Amino acid sequence: MNTKYIFVTGGVVSSLGKGIISASIGKLLQARGYKVTIQKFDPYINIDPGTLNPYEHGECYVTADGMETDLDLGHYERFTGIRTTRQNSITTGRIYNTVIDRERRGDYLGKTIQVVPHITDEIKRRMLREEVDELTSKQVLEVSSDQGRADELNLQGKQLVNLSTKNSSTKYDFVITEVGGTIGDIESAPFMEAIRQLRWQLGRDAVCVHLTYVPYLKAADELKTKPTQHSVKELQSMGIQPDILVLRTERHLDDAIRHKVASFCNVDLECVVQSEDMPSIYEVPVNMQRQGLDAAILRKIGVPVGETPAMKLWHDFLDKQRKASKEVHIGLVGKYDLQDAYKSIRESLNLAGIYNDVKAKIHFVNSEEITPANVSERLAGMAGIIICPGFGQRGIEGKILAAEYTRTHDIPTFGICLGMQMMVIEFARNVLGYKDANSTEMNPDTSAGVIDLMEEQKSIKQMGGTMRLGAYECVLVEGSRAYEAYGNEIHIQERHRHRYEFNNNYQKEYEDAGMKCVGINPDTNLVEIVEVPSLRWYIGTQFHPEYSSTVLHPHPLFMSFIKACI
Ligand code: GLN
């Protein structure tokens, strides 16, 4: 079968959950045995969201090959188990960058460079995933790992290896492309033009799924379809006729409404699907399957629909989720009071909770407000705390106070990246006796820079994309709590996003005083995990385990942390 392309756009308002719908489509097609990838095209001009404040754009997700991306890639990975790469996250900035570089090299042979065709051609090339020359061998390796597909096909161990070698090419059965923003945005116009051209070029090998909103007007006691009609009209004015409409709604839509939308928007009735609010985002794929979204896509494309896959593992997970009623209270000590800022951490906690038959109830604790006087009150009732990642000075003293409190009260504590660094600083100040210990990120003049800039970072001037990014190997110390958590695994790979590191000059002092370095990068000797074995669960990781937690494979460290909290 030649590759089929699914384009997902959104209209009426933003935040409808295009990412969840795209991930759900991916999941459903994968469950039918297809090899799928999902990519996100964002119309903003930043090269990547790495330099964006979380208030602007939520969490910055990091792929195994080291691309800083939109948080929707986290949904794609959690739903499907696919390892995304830098090819799965594209922005207007990157498109222009490529075209301008090429122009400067003289590749266009004297032509005037224009949005159409040069920018749109570059967008099309990437939508078709012709950018294979950009891949390094490490990335090809990542592309070939497709855990979700193996799960769905019920392959284990040895067979999984066969599957990955067999599929080491980048050829997919389905490429799902989600376009960020809302129809009608000026900046998304070139992407729409690229989709229009591809639809025409690819014929039945492409389908357009358009997501809209059907609001309920309380005063009139009515559900309104007009915004959807307008949104489709807008799409049609750009030459795109949607094949499938997904209507987001807070209330059930009856057949009369679906019929009305179908007839006004030139869409088959069976291709008008409703996506009601669900108690959990993980119910969405099943709800979409029930309404035949994947079947409608296959029929449009002209592929035999076949039997509806059972998705047993997914249903088992949903059953567990529905049954988990006992709550475990987790404090999230960070500086961004925003759901999306720590998205992957929240989801990793939720998932690990469900697999431990509990509901992880997450309480945001603003680290800027923590003082020595109120720390016990702020952390009261928490079964465990997470000390969050971050950058810069703001709120770090609160994180250090929290780390001290939980260390001295033996409350399970998980420090991630900056959170780990704060645990290390707290230990230096209060156990090793270095009163002004700090990270040189926060205080370059500290007399004890227990967290320090990596040598190779010292000459870097450009901020974008220059951190230590992506997956690195780590070797665990046998017998440590981390080693136990990973199921007695010695070699692990985890994703990073930071410039500063544990300063190895202090390693011996730490170990002698009871904080052990139990995860080491074998190539550079960098300390990746610290723990205090005399406590119940006190672990800090320089890497971000939250990026590799998935619905069917919750992360072992989060699993172990939740167990300790219970
Ligand atoms: N600011 C710290 C560093 O750059 C930690 C970064 C993070 O938490 N992701 O090393």
Side-chain angles (χ1 to χ4, degrees), residues 388-392 416-419 421 441-442 467 497-501 542 544:
C388 291
F391 294 84
I416 299 176
C417 207
L418 183 73
Q421 298 177 353
E441 175 183 5
M442 316 303 171
M467 280 186 265
R497 181 176 186 244
H498 56 103
R499 291 185 204 282
Y500 292 81
E501 293 287 349
Q542 187 56 80
H544 291 264

